[in-house]
């Protein structure tokens, strides 16, 4: 769900932007039939998700939501991380966020033609409608979460969960993100460096 983080980490590691987003949609073993660059992105996406879900900062952020929202804590915190990444963008990347998104959307749209029909991908729609820019505001984040909640098996206004975090909980989770994200960047670099090492003779 955290599309911005996956795009940024793909660019940071010089791996496929589209492949990194495909990780939310392509299941099963690798290699797939999509090609090595996409497979590398899917592989990195899976590594990033596993590292994030197991990290103490992420778990603490999930735990700050009361039931029934905690059940959806993984989705909520992933989207919050995109919100805070938007707000603190210049701390982690040099090009401005609007410039980065324009470049990223161009890459996604260029890759769209090479993807097989039938994949349930919103990537083209996301690029054409600039979904990610809306994550910067709390109102936009709420709308995005409500959109996700509408698509759940039992629809619910997922954005309402944000209002259950008081100011100290919100600030604690934001500080946790700022500690966590540099670790995630370094982890992603290490993972791809190891994967790309030529096999020993």
């Amino acid at each position: 769900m955290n599309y911005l983080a996956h795009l940024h980490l793909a660019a940071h590691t010089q791996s496929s932007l589209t492949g990194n987003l495909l990780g939310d949609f392509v299941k099963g073993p690798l290699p797939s039939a999509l090609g090595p660059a996409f497979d590398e992105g899917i592989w990195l996406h899976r590594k990033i998700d596993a590292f994030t879900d197991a990290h103490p900062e992420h778990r603490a952020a999930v735990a700050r939501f009361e039931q029934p929202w905690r059940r959806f804590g993984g989705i909520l915190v992933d989207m919050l991380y995109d919100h805070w990444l938007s707000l603190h963008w210049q701390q982690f990347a040099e090009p401005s966020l609007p410039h980065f998104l324009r470049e990223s959307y161009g890459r996604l749209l260029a890759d769209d033609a090479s993807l097989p029909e039938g994949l349930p991908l919103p990537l083209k729609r996301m690029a054409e409608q600039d979904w990610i820019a809306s994550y910067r505001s709390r109102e936009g984040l709420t709308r995005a979460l409500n959109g996700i909640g509408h698509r759940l098996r039992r629809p619910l206004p997922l954005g309402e969960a944000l209002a259950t975090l008081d100011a100290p909980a919100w600030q604690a989770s934001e500080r946790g993100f700022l500690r966590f994200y540099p670790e995630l960047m370094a982890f992603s670099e290490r993972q791809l460096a190891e994967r790309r090492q030529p096999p020993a003779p």
Side-chain angles (χ1 to χ4, degrees):
M1 298 299 174
N2 47 341
Y3 295 137
L4 179 58
H6 280 293
L7 286 174
H8 174 250
L9 293 167
H12 178 67
T13 56
Q14 298 183 345
S15 59
S16 166
L17 274 67
T18 302
N20 273 271
L21 295 194
L22 286 172
D24 273 331
F25 306 98
V26 175
K27 309 302 179 184
L30 297 175
S32 70
L34 298 173
F38 290 151
D39 281 352
E40 181 184 77
I42 295 165
W43 178 88
L44 180 60
H45 180 113
R46 293 174 180 178
K47 292 289 186 181
I48 288 168
D49 280 359
F51 180 83
T52 299
D53 291 346
H55 198 281
E57 295 289 2
H58 190 275
R59 289 186 171 182
V62 169
R64 292 187 183 102
F65 286 98
E66 299 293 337
Q67 294 294 2
W69 303 115
R70 190 177 298 170
R71 178 185 172 195
F72 306 98
I75 297 172
L76 292 165
V77 174
D78 280 355
M79 293 293 286
L80 274 168
Y81 279 7
D82 266 7
H83 170 69
W84 288 319
L85 180 56
S86 296
L87 292 179
H88 298 283
W89 180 258
Q90 292 302 322
Q91 187 170 330
F92 302 111
E94 287 189 5
S96 70
L97 181 56
H99 175 81
F100 175 79
L101 289 177
R102 283 195 302 271
E103 294 286 320
S104 298
Y105 291 151
R107 183 69 264 165
L108 294 178
L109 291 172
D111 285 346
D112 181 70
S114 63
L115 295 175
E117 292 186 13
L119 280 176
L121 300 181
L123 305 187
K124 184 177 181 182
R125 224 168 40 251
M126 178 181 70
E128 291 172 341
Q129 299 173 12
D130 192 13
W131 292 356
I132 294 175
S134 70
Y135 298 172
R136 185 175 177 88
S137 72
R138 189 158 174 167
E139 295 76 14
L141 181 64
T142 299
R143 286 195 301 272
L145 283 168
N146 283 337
I148 294 170
H150 181 72
R151 296 191 295 274
L152 295 174
R153 183 174 299 174
R154 295 183 178 179
L156 79 168
L158 200 53
E160 290 183 5
L162 299 182
T164 68
L165 291 180
D166 60 17
W170 186 276
Q171 292 160 9
S173 292
E174 184 173 7
R175 288 193 300 270
F177 165 77
L178 292 172
R179 290 188 294 266
F180 159 74
Y181 198 69
E183 293 184 32
L184 182 58
M185 291 173 67
F187 169 82
S188 302
E189 288 182 81
R190 290 195 305 271
Q191 290 295 303
L192 271 188
E194 292 173 9
R195 178 182 170 90
R196 289 169 173 171
Q197 278 186 341

